[in-house]
Amino acid sequence: MTRRFTPALPRLEQLDLTFNTWRGRSVRYVLIYLALSVVLVGTRYATQQIRPDLRAMQDREAALISERDQLQLSVQALHTPQAVREWAFANGMRRFAEARKTTANIAPIPPPAQAGPPPTPPERRVQVRTEWK
């Protein structure tokens, strides 16, 4: 035999349904509702600048991204071989074919001093023996 669980609900005769009880409950519920309303309104008032600030930051981010892209393009344009060549000639670079050439004798490097003849490696002998069968 299985037993069913039935929650113990109070009977209607056991509930306190007096006017004073309901008035006290309603006053508590109204005070809780007012307190929550004040908290929500206060929170909204304290955070009212978040959305405009966020929009301003997003606009600033978009402006910075476009500025970065433009600067990257200008850097790439400045580093082309033609631009580097023009800059070098404007700052005094001369072509090798047009530059004045001078010659000079280069002194040889003296050999390092040796204390004696280099040591000879030990003699190695290899013997091979072949047997035919």
Side-chain angles (χ1 to χ4, degrees), residues 3-24:
R3 297 177 96 190
R4 290 189 178 183
F5 176 74
T6 56
L9 295 175
R11 296 185 180 191
L12 195 55
E13 302 90 35
Q14 295 173 345
L15 290 177
D16 186 12
L17 300 176
T18 61
F19 177 74
N20 289 335
T21 303
W22 283 104
R23 184 177 58 183

Side-chain angles (χ1 to χ4, degrees), residues 51-85:
R51 180 72 177 159
D53 291 345
L54 180 63
R55 293 295 298 164
M57 290 299 122
Q58 288 173 341
D59 294 340
R60 179 71 178 139
E61 180 187 18
L64 288 174
I65 288 172
S66 66
E67 182 180 355
R68 181 200 62 197
D69 293 343
Q70 290 172 356
L71 289 173
Q72 283 180 344
L73 288 176
S74 64
V75 165
Q76 289 173 3
L78 290 174
H79 283 81
T80 61
Q82 295 85 7
V84 172
R85 181 176 178 265

Side-chain angles (χ1 to χ4, degrees), residues 3-47:
R3 297 177 96 190
R4 290 189 178 183
F5 176 74
T6 56
L9 295 175
R11 296 185 180 191
L12 195 55
E13 302 90 35
Q14 295 173 345
L15 290 177
D16 186 12
L17 300 176
T18 61
F19 177 74
N20 289 335
T21 303
W22 283 104
R23 184 177 58 183
R25 287 181 184 174
S26 64
V27 169
R28 275 186 300 214
Y29 292 151
V30 167
L31 290 176
I32 291 171
Y33 178 76
L34 287 175
L36 288 175
S37 299
V38 167
V39 167
L40 288 175
V41 169
T43 304
R44 176 65 181 125
Y45 181 75
T47 60

Side-chain angles (χ1 to χ4, degrees), residues 2 7-8 20 26 28 31 46 56 59 83 87 91 106 108 124 127 131:
T2 60
N20 289 335
S26 64
R28 275 186 300 214
L31 290 176
D59 294 340
W87 175 85
N91 286 296
I106 300 174
R124 295 185 180 173
Q127 287 184 348
E131 291 183 19

